[in-house]
Amino acid sequence: MPATPPRKSILSQGESEVNLTPSSKGIGSASEQMKDLRRGKTAERLRGDVEQTQLASILDMFYTFTSWICEDQSIDPKETFETIVAQTSRMIDESSSPVATSTGVRSTASSSLAPKRAEKGKNANQKQNAIANLKKFHCQFVTAKTEAESYRPWVTMTNIALDLLRSETVNNVREYNKEINLILQHNDPNSLLYKHNSQTLRRKPDSIFMATSTACSLHDTTEKTEWIKFANTYAMNVISSDKNLNWGDALSSVEYKRRKGRTVDLKDDTMFENNLTPFRAVLESEHIWSPLRLERVEEDETANNYATTSQKQTNEPSPHANTSVTRQSRSQSRSQSHSEQRAASAQAVSPSTAVSVTDSTKSVAIQSAEYALNRLCCSFDMTHTFNFILIDTTLYISWYDHEGIITTQGFDVAKHLSHYLALLFILQRFNHSNWGRCGHPCFDTTRHGQSGISTSLDTKIGEKAFSVDMTKRGLVHKTLAIAGRASCVRTCHMGGDLYTDPKYVIKFSWKEKTRQSEGKIMDTILEKAEGDPKIIDFLPVFIAHEVFPDISTSGIRDCLKINSSPREFVIVVMVKLDGRISDLRGDNLWYAFWDCFHCHYRLWKLGIHHRDISTGNLMYWNDTNGNVYGKLADFDLSSIREEQSTNKQRTGTLPFMALELLGAQDPISYKYEHDVESFFWVIIHIILSADEAHWRNCPMLDWGNLGKLALWKEKNIYITAQLKRPEFQPVVTDLVTNFERFSGFRRSVRSLCLQHLDLLDLQTDQPNQPPENGSSHSSVDKVYKKVVSDSERTLQQHPVKHRPDIHSDENVFPPHSSI
């Protein structure tokens, strides 16, 4: 087999590559600030994830999937896959004369057969009839003129195939998974619900692969009849609206699209092409490897509930975008003006494939990404998911994990039915781990019915045992993300009773492999701080932490021969804090904010650079007398000055990222001023969002939905308008007081911004790039002292009541040394 062609990633037209961390590219960078998670809003943010899609060979994906079901890992999965294809080809060829029944699909199992014989195979005549029916529905699917017309034949054909394949055996391949007993269920118009923190997301995938037991529960029945009869009876039935299918039970989704005006040239000699050589030749053609397009398929008006859209048709559709420039042109663009970049981009994109996309909700790639987003986030132990995109008769596999998205080449199911059957044979033998549930013993949860997981999880981190509360009550916070850390925080007990008030929280996340783990960074902080109470008293207390290098995103990319910036699973257990400072008002907010600010400065002086100041990382703790103290948390993206890091990317949460970081295209040095500016955007966000009525009309509300350039412009306008825009001014009395109390801080930070901000370039409407040697910045001490002194002056006009020192109370926060 020839070498795999080079992979590409997808970037929007005219926009050069930006060195943001993956979590800063897509929905993960702003999900905490997104107050509206309806489909259009999430679709816009998912563009950032979809535009970074990597391409992979469909054969490499087949070989990878095959290796998962092989009992002997020393045998080449390529040979095993070719054996499976050869066997499905022979199975299709077994039907030569029988004609499909006119009344539907005849059962392929006989109750009169001896159990042992029924387990191994079916009556030859019945099997031939079943294959004939499979071909009949396959032809109906291929010739369907509308998307709606394609649903029944596709679902029925797939389930017939699954029934036939259960009895097929291949050397070195495990038997089909009887516990899951895979079935394809048509879903639309049923909504799958996912509750993200306090919001509910509703999505309607066309069809879903699921366990037969799940399908039975959806239709209030049991599988007492022959499986194929059950599938024929219920797989196309509308699911009752009161059945809330859990995304964890939806193993994978299928999204269909049919182009308007498509013609089908149905020829017997190409309908059932089973030779592997032509299949390879088609996949390796130049057309298949053309860049992907984030297109909207021009679909028929009867398809689902999605509005019809228009696009320029091409011979072979693809679910993703070609709005990118080549790697070479992206490299050259850094030395070009914006107008030159746009001209180069226009030349790099073929006129027939340059499609203007104005509505992300109509992109099938983004629709599929929305389904994957819900499934990835439905449980902390979900490592990956994959979906199928079916445009006309071309099938694509899209893989999603917390490193990003991978999409394969498409293959024509009309011509290569045996390869689709081989894929079903493989999927039918997948276990829960293959479908995305973490198989590590540390997370062995008891699942039952549609509840997803048990109410508690006993786990051991290091030498300490914990009980994690898996109920709704136990959820503290989770991040909505495909690429990124995707943190999930739950309450837990240290081997204690779940009915007592929890004293600890456990955080599950996915860190970049090249970064120090948060636990290791905290160990370094404690070592460098040398017991300084001005630092350690304002940090969370870590109880246990562990990195799981064997639970990583690198494995699939190694198999697919594509570049990887792997992430690995991490667990941290901490003493439970009382909340975020964004929940505070008045004097408590002032004290907690400055506790975090001072702690941050002292850490920076020690060489610990936080680099992700946001509303979610500034916490507080109440002592027994009700006094509030700030806690600087979340060191996932932090760096240690003395260590050589391979990360040259900008870090942070997009809505709070410094202007200079948003505007620069080339990697720049991360500075203390950048974090100070993030504190500035955080306090404005906290005060303005406290008044919900006024917040609804505040432009900052939508900052979580903006891209980097649009966000740069918004912040630029605010800074250059002397901080006086009325929509950025609170109206509630106590909020006005707090806002004025921070006026010195705001003015001081604004002056820092203006030092490296040259307003808008009126010709290019782009951020001006800093000079090669960087902007001239004051020393850390000078910046810190100026910000603090300016803030203290305004405090004279708006004083706060005295707060005792953190050590004045006998019941202080547990010190690190006591754990």
Side-chain angles (χ1 to χ4, degrees), residues 518-763:
E518 188 177 15
K520 292 291 185 182
I521 290 176
M522 185 58 67
D523 290 342
T524 302
I525 291 174
L526 295 179
E527 180 182 348
K528 286 176 171 289
E530 297 180 343
D532 184 353
K534 293 182 179 180
I535 296 177
I536 63 174
D537 285 348
F538 301 98
L539 297 173
V541 175
F542 280 37
I543 308 301
H545 56 87
E546 186 169 351
V547 178
F548 298 85
D550 54 330
I551 307 176
S552 169
T553 61
S554 63
I556 185 73
R557 287 163 179 80
D558 291 342
C559 294
L560 298 178
K561 309 180 186 73
I562 59 178
N563 295 332
S564 177
S565 299
R567 289 181 176 272
E568 52 192 10
F569 198 65
V570 181
I571 295 181
V572 173
V573 182
M574 299 169 282
V575 173
K576 185 175 180 291
L577 297 171
D578 290 310
R580 301 180 177 185
I581 72 168
S582 55
D583 300 328
L584 302 174
R585 295 171 81 155
D587 297 353
N588 287 337
L589 175 60
W590 171 271
Y591 277 119
F593 176 87
W594 286 107
D595 285 341
C596 295
F597 189 87
H598 296 319
C599 179
H600 171 272
Y601 162 72
R602 294 184 177 99
L603 288 175
W604 194 280
K605 293 285 288 181
L606 289 178
I608 310 296
H609 302 165
H610 192 283
R611 310 204 308 172
D612 187 22
I613 301 301
S614 67
T615 53
N617 298 338
L618 306 184
M619 309 292 287
Y620 75 90
W621 167 72
N622 284 313
D623 69 10
T624 55
N625 292 327
N627 297 308
V628 172
Y629 301 92
K631 295 278 183 176
L632 181 62
D634 199 345
F635 289 83
D636 286 331
L637 297 181
S638 300
S639 64
I640 301 174
R641 185 170 51 207
E642 293 85 357
E643 295 184 356
Q644 185 67 31
S645 174
T646 60
N647 293 282
K648 304 301 182 184
Q649 300 169 319
R650 276 159 281 177
T651 61
T653 304
L654 208 57
F656 308 110
M657 194 176 289
L659 275 163
E660 188 177 17
L661 297 179
L662 288 172
Q665 293 176 356
D666 295 318
I668 59 177
S669 299
Y670 202 98
K671 305 177 182 72
Y672 175 69
E673 293 93 319
H674 296 149
D675 271 5
V676 171
E677 186 182 334
S678 293
F679 274 104
F680 167 82
W681 297 116
V682 164
I683 197 60
I684 293 174
H685 182 281
I686 288 174
I687 294 177
L688 294 181
S689 62
D691 181 2
E692 293 186 8
H694 186 64
W695 180 243
R696 284 195 292 267
N697 300 317
C698 180
M700 204 173 186
L701 173 65
D702 291 325
W703 283 10
N705 298 318
L706 298 180
K708 68 171 187 69
L709 181 58
L711 183 56
W712 181 89
K713 291 179 180 178
E714 281 291 318
K715 290 185 173 185
N716 188 311
I717 293 171
Y718 177 71
I719 290 293
T720 57
Q722 305 286 332
L723 317 182
K724 294 296 184 182
R725 290 177 63 183
E727 61 268 35
F728 280 92
Q729 306 297 317
V731 294
V732 178
T733 302
D734 67 323
L735 296 179
V736 171
T737 301
N738 245 4
F739 204 61
E740 288 302 317
R741 186 176 283 159
F742 282 96
S743 59
F745 173 73
R746 292 185 286 117
R747 286 193 298 269
S748 184
V749 176
R750 176 179 179 268
S751 67
L752 289 174
C753 295
L754 292 176
Q755 288 182 28
H756 55 76
L757 185 63
D758 292 329
L759 308 183
L760 281 170
D761 184 322
L762 298 180
Q763 290 185 336

Side-chain angles (χ1 to χ4, degrees), residues 115-136:
K116 185 174 181 180
R117 185 182 177 191
E119 181 74 19
K120 291 183 177 180
K122 299 176 174 61
N123 178 276
N125 187 48
Q126 290 177 326
K127 184 174 181 178
Q128 287 183 345
N129 282 328
I131 296 173
N133 274 294
L134 184 150
K135 289 185 175 182
K136 181 191 81 167

